[in-house]
Amino acid sequence: QKRRHAVSLDAVDETEDTVEFKLASARCLRSARSLGLPEDMMALKNFAEAGGAQAVVKALVQRYSASSTSHEDRVKNLSQTVLDFCQKTGSDFDKALLSHVKDLCGVAF
């Protein structure tokens, strides 16, 4: 006789939440990669541990700030590209920008 394993509803809910989180993380990474996030910067397996979408936004702020050829170009890239990404992922643009500026100035949190 086969033994059936009882699966609790909590376990099912937890599994669904995990799948949803991984899916949202994968979408975030795919979108960030299309904006220039390097492949080696973050992976799906360490997405949460690396800071999640907020860390991705900070990396995009750093990338667009460093690669801009003028102040106007920087403002355009940050306000259009990165801000749009933040709105799609629910990330905090101001927090990422502040963190980047503090890194540039050598200020500890």
Side-chain angles (χ1 to χ4, degrees), residues 6-18:
V7 178
S8 72
L9 290 178
D10 289 338
V12 170
D13 287 344
E14 187 176 319
T15 300
E16 285 182 16
D17 289 345
T18 301

Side-chain angles (χ1 to χ4, degrees), residues 5-86:
H5 296 283
V7 178
S8 72
L9 290 178
D10 289 338
V12 170
D13 287 344
E14 187 176 319
T15 300
E16 285 182 16
D17 289 345
T18 301
V19 169
E20 288 296 321
F21 176 76
K22 288 287 188 181
L23 185 57
S25 300
R27 287 180 178 144
C28 177
L29 280 175
R30 183 185 65 201
S31 179
R33 297 227 195 295
S34 74
L35 297 176
L37 183 76
E39 292 276 335
D40 62 347
M41 181 160 278
M42 189 180 294
L44 186 57
K45 66 182 177 186
N46 69 343
F47 184 79
E49 295 82 17
Q54 195 60 45
V56 169
V57 171
K58 182 179 175 184
L60 290 173
V61 166
Q62 291 168 331
R63 180 188 182 285
Y64 282 103
S65 292
S67 66
S68 296
T69 57
S70 67
H71 176 69
E72 291 77 19
D73 186 41
R74 182 176 300 107
V75 169
K76 179 183 168 198
N77 285 330
L78 292 176
S79 65
Q80 291 177 357
T81 308
V82 180
L83 195 54
D84 183 52
F85 178 84
C86 288

